[in-house]
Amino acid sequence: MIERLQNDPAIIVAGHRGYKSMYPENTLLGFQKAIEAGVDMLEFDLRFSKDKVLMVIHDATIDRTTNGSGKISDYTVKELKEFDASDVFTGFGHQEIPTLAEFCELLEAYPDLLLNVEVKPSEDAIEVADQAISMLKDYGFLPRCVFTSFDANVVAHIHDTYGLKTQGFPGEVMFHFVPGENGTYSKMWAVGISMKLLTPERVKEFRDLGILVWCYCPDDEHQVQYGLECGAKLMTCNNPVPALSILKKQAEGQRTE
């Protein structure tokens, strides 16, 4: 399924940590709302709890996104479930930090939805990747996954060990980046470029290497248009509405031609 991104001429819209601009990030509510908005892909982040359960959360600590504090690795999954992951929002009630297993249960109802699985840099990132791949395989989800990391060692491990599709980033923002013909770029199927670094020249650089070029996070119409002008077709958005609106207009235009 993920291979279709190589030849799809349309905009592909991914929800960044769900529907981050409007709902608590990396929560089942946020993911559900992104799906209902019409995204093609969900991007999410993985880290281990103290008892080595895969949790869907971005930061190494729970301070920013919950009403608790401390490292996620200092809490068991049972303890993490006590914190409210909607702390920076109001009106959504108690939202838990989901486990990957709980997220997979939600995804079973959406077999066409693509997944961008980000393994956060950490001392146990390789183990996180291995356990995530095993679980996603058990659910039958691997054909719709691309695996992402800012850690070049994780990207290389997933590419070399499993032969799965990987997304990395420009070398200057990656950890453990290996330059050269057989280096990190040779392990990458796609590259994610931030809007701050996105230029037509960078897009051409990676296209010349045979790497798909994606961008993050174009959250208004101007940014979406700029991304398209640069040549980035897949857009990972905090607010998917502008990109989805342009995608809808493109589709309507094609029908009237």
Short mmCIF file of all heavy atoms in Angstrom, two decimals, residues 59-88:
data_model
loop_
_atom_site.label_atom_id
_atom_site.label_comp_id
_atom_site.label_asym_id
_atom_site.label_seq_id
_atom_site.Cartn_x
_atom_site.Cartn_y
_atom_site.Cartn_z
N ASP A 59 7.30 13.63 23.32
CA ASP A 59 8.41 14.08 24.15
C ASP A 59 8.95 12.97 25.03
O ASP A 59 8.25 12.00 25.34
CB ASP A 59 7.97 15.24 25.04
CG ASP A 59 7.53 16.47 24.26
OD1 ASP A 59 7.57 16.44 23.02
OD2 ASP A 59 7.14 17.46 24.92
N ALA A 60 10.19 13.17 25.50
CA ALA A 60 10.78 12.23 26.46
C ALA A 60 10.15 12.39 27.84
O ALA A 60 10.22 11.47 28.66
CB ALA A 60 12.29 12.46 26.56
N THR A 61 9.53 13.55 28.08
CA THR A 61 8.83 13.77 29.34
C THR A 61 7.35 13.98 29.07
O THR A 61 6.92 14.22 27.94
CB THR A 61 9.37 15.02 30.08
OG1 THR A 61 8.96 16.20 29.37
CG2 THR A 61 10.89 14.98 30.17
N ILE A 62 6.58 13.91 30.14
CA ILE A 62 5.13 14.11 30.02
C ILE A 62 4.72 15.54 30.37
O ILE A 62 3.53 15.87 30.36
CB ILE A 62 4.35 13.11 30.89
CG1 ILE A 62 4.71 13.27 32.37
CG2 ILE A 62 4.62 11.68 30.43
CD1 ILE A 62 3.85 12.43 33.31
N ASP A 63 5.69 16.41 30.63
CA ASP A 63 5.40 17.75 31.14
C ASP A 63 4.56 18.60 30.18
O ASP A 63 3.61 19.26 30.60
CB ASP A 63 6.71 18.49 31.43
CG ASP A 63 7.55 17.82 32.50
OD1 ASP A 63 7.87 16.62 32.34
OD2 ASP A 63 7.88 18.48 33.51
N ARG A 64 4.91 18.63 28.91
CA ARG A 64 4.27 19.54 27.97
C ARG A 64 2.85 19.12 27.61
O ARG A 64 1.98 19.96 27.43
CB ARG A 64 5.12 19.65 26.69
CG ARG A 64 4.51 20.59 25.63
CD ARG A 64 5.40 20.68 24.40
NE ARG A 64 5.54 19.39 23.73
CZ ARG A 64 4.68 18.92 22.83
NH1 ARG A 64 3.62 19.62 22.48
NH2 ARG A 64 4.89 17.74 22.27
N THR A 65 2.61 17.83 27.49
CA THR A 65 1.33 17.36 26.93
C THR A 65 0.38 16.75 27.95
O THR A 65 -0.73 16.33 27.58
CB THR A 65 1.58 16.33 25.81
OG1 THR A 65 2.37 15.24 26.34
CG2 THR A 65 2.32 16.96 24.65
N THR A 66 0.77 16.67 29.21
CA THR A 66 -0.13 16.12 30.22
C THR A 66 -0.12 17.01 31.46
O THR A 66 0.63 17.97 31.56
CB THR A 66 0.26 14.68 30.64
OG1 THR A 66 1.33 14.73 31.60
CG2 THR A 66 0.68 13.85 29.45
N ASN A 67 -0.90 16.62 32.44
CA ASN A 67 -0.93 17.34 33.71
C ASN A 67 0.08 16.78 34.71
O ASN A 67 0.05 17.10 35.89
CB ASN A 67 -2.33 17.31 34.32
CG ASN A 67 -2.81 15.89 34.60
OD1 ASN A 67 -2.26 14.91 34.10
ND2 ASN A 67 -3.87 15.76 35.39
N GLY A 68 0.98 15.93 34.23
CA GLY A 68 2.02 15.37 35.08
C GLY A 68 3.39 15.93 34.73
O GLY A 68 3.53 16.84 33.93
N SER A 69 4.42 15.36 35.34
CA SER A 69 5.78 15.78 35.05
C SER A 69 6.72 14.60 35.23
O SER A 69 6.41 13.64 35.93
CB SER A 69 6.22 16.93 35.95
OG SER A 69 6.25 16.52 37.31
N GLY A 70 7.85 14.67 34.56
CA GLY A 70 8.84 13.61 34.65
C GLY A 70 9.01 12.86 33.35
O GLY A 70 8.26 13.07 32.38
N LYS A 71 10.00 11.98 33.32
CA LYS A 71 10.29 11.20 32.13
C LYS A 71 9.25 10.10 31.94
O LYS A 71 8.83 9.46 32.91
CB LYS A 71 11.66 10.56 32.23
CG LYS A 71 12.82 11.55 32.25
CD LYS A 71 14.14 10.80 32.34
CE LYS A 71 15.32 11.76 32.36
NZ LYS A 71 16.61 11.03 32.46
N ILE A 72 8.87 9.88 30.70
CA ILE A 72 7.92 8.80 30.43
C ILE A 72 8.52 7.45 30.83
O ILE A 72 7.81 6.55 31.28
CB ILE A 72 7.48 8.79 28.95
CG1 ILE A 72 6.36 7.76 28.74
CG2 ILE A 72 8.64 8.56 28.01
CD1 ILE A 72 5.69 7.86 27.39
N SER A 73 9.83 7.33 30.72
CA SER A 73 10.50 6.07 31.05
C SER A 73 10.56 5.81 32.55
O SER A 73 10.98 4.73 32.98
CB SER A 73 11.92 6.07 30.49
OG SER A 73 12.67 7.17 30.98
N ASP A 74 10.14 6.78 33.35
CA ASP A 74 10.11 6.60 34.80
C ASP A 74 8.77 6.08 35.30
O ASP A 74 8.62 5.81 36.50
CB ASP A 74 10.44 7.91 35.52
CG ASP A 74 11.90 8.30 35.41
OD1 ASP A 74 12.73 7.41 35.10
OD2 ASP A 74 12.22 9.49 35.62
N TYR A 75 7.80 5.96 34.39
CA TYR A 75 6.45 5.54 34.78
C TYR A 75 6.06 4.24 34.07
O TYR A 75 6.37 4.06 32.89
CB TYR A 75 5.42 6.61 34.41
CG TYR A 75 5.53 7.90 35.18
CD1 TYR A 75 6.16 9.00 34.63
CD2 TYR A 75 4.99 8.01 36.46
CE1 TYR A 75 6.25 10.20 35.33
CE2 TYR A 75 5.07 9.21 37.17
CZ TYR A 75 5.70 10.30 36.59
OH TYR A 75 5.79 11.48 37.30
N THR A 76 5.35 3.38 34.78
CA THR A 76 4.76 2.20 34.15
C THR A 76 3.56 2.63 33.33
O THR A 76 3.03 3.73 33.49
CB THR A 76 4.30 1.18 35.19
OG1 THR A 76 3.23 1.74 35.95
CG2 THR A 76 5.44 0.79 36.13
N VAL A 77 3.10 1.74 32.46
CA VAL A 77 1.93 2.07 31.64
C VAL A 77 0.72 2.35 32.53
O VAL A 77 -0.07 3.27 32.25
CB VAL A 77 1.65 0.96 30.61
CG1 VAL A 77 1.32 -0.37 31.29
CG2 VAL A 77 0.50 1.37 29.68
N LYS A 78 0.58 1.61 33.61
CA LYS A 78 -0.55 1.83 34.52
C LYS A 78 -0.49 3.23 35.12
O LYS A 78 -1.51 3.92 35.22
CB LYS A 78 -0.56 0.78 35.62
CG LYS A 78 -1.73 0.90 36.58
CD LYS A 78 -1.71 -0.20 37.63
CE LYS A 78 -2.89 -0.05 38.59
NZ LYS A 78 -2.88 -1.12 39.63
N GLU A 79 0.72 3.66 35.49
CA GLU A 79 0.88 4.99 36.07
C GLU A 79 0.64 6.08 35.02
O GLU A 79 0.02 7.11 35.30
CB GLU A 79 2.29 5.13 36.67
CG GLU A 79 2.49 4.26 37.90
CD GLU A 79 3.95 4.16 38.31
OE1 GLU A 79 4.84 4.34 37.44
OE2 GLU A 79 4.20 3.89 39.50
N LEU A 80 1.11 5.85 33.81
CA LEU A 80 0.94 6.84 32.75
C LEU A 80 -0.53 7.06 32.42
O LEU A 80 -0.94 8.16 32.04
CB LEU A 80 1.70 6.40 31.49
CG LEU A 80 3.22 6.49 31.57
CD1 LEU A 80 3.85 5.79 30.37
CD2 LEU A 80 3.69 7.94 31.63
N LYS A 81 -1.33 6.01 32.56
CA LYS A 81 -2.75 6.12 32.24
C LYS A 81 -3.50 7.05 33.21
O LYS A 81 -4.62 7.49 32.91
CB LYS A 81 -3.40 4.73 32.26
CG LYS A 81 -2.99 3.84 31.10
CD LYS A 81 -3.50 4.39 29.80
CE LYS A 81 -3.21 3.51 28.62
NZ LYS A 81 -3.70 4.07 27.36
N GLU A 82 -2.90 7.37 34.33
CA GLU A 82 -3.54 8.26 35.29
C GLU A 82 -3.45 9.72 34.89
O GLU A 82 -4.23 10.56 35.35
CB GLU A 82 -2.90 8.06 36.68
CG GLU A 82 -3.05 6.66 37.25
CD GLU A 82 -4.52 6.27 37.43
OE1 GLU A 82 -5.30 7.12 37.89
OE2 GLU A 82 -4.88 5.12 37.09
N PHE A 83 -2.50 10.05 34.02
CA PHE A 83 -2.31 11.45 33.63
C PHE A 83 -3.27 11.82 32.50
O PHE A 83 -3.68 10.99 31.69
CB PHE A 83 -0.87 11.68 33.19
CG PHE A 83 0.14 11.44 34.28
CD1 PHE A 83 1.00 10.36 34.24
CD2 PHE A 83 0.20 12.31 35.36
CE1 PHE A 83 1.92 10.13 35.24
CE2 PHE A 83 1.12 12.09 36.38
CZ PHE A 83 1.98 11.00 36.33
N ASP A 84 -3.60 13.10 32.45
CA ASP A 84 -4.53 13.62 31.45
C ASP A 84 -3.73 14.22 30.30
O ASP A 84 -3.05 15.24 30.47
CB ASP A 84 -5.44 14.68 32.06
CG ASP A 84 -6.52 15.16 31.09
OD1 ASP A 84 -6.52 14.71 29.93
OD2 ASP A 84 -7.36 15.97 31.51
N ALA A 85 -3.82 13.60 29.11
CA ALA A 85 -3.07 14.05 27.94
C ALA A 85 -3.76 15.17 27.19
O ALA A 85 -3.31 15.57 26.12
CB ALA A 85 -2.81 12.87 27.00
N SER A 86 -4.85 15.70 27.74
CA SER A 86 -5.50 16.85 27.12
C SER A 86 -5.24 18.12 27.94
O SER A 86 -5.98 19.09 27.84
CB SER A 86 -7.01 16.63 26.99
OG SER A 86 -7.62 16.57 28.27
N ASP A 87 -4.18 18.12 28.71
CA ASP A 87 -3.94 19.19 29.68
C ASP A 87 -3.87 20.57 29.04
O ASP A 87 -4.27 21.56 29.65
CB ASP A 87 -2.63 18.91 30.44
CG ASP A 87 -2.43 19.86 31.60
OD1 ASP A 87 -3.34 20.00 32.41
OD2 ASP A 87 -1.35 20.48 31.68
N VAL A 88 -3.35 20.67 27.81
CA VAL A 88 -3.23 22.00 27.19
C VAL A 88 -4.51 22.40 26.45
O VAL A 88 -4.59 23.49 25.90
CB VAL A 88 -2.03 22.04 26.20
CG1 VAL A 88 -0.73 21.84 26.95
CG2 VAL A 88 -2.18 20.98 25.11
#
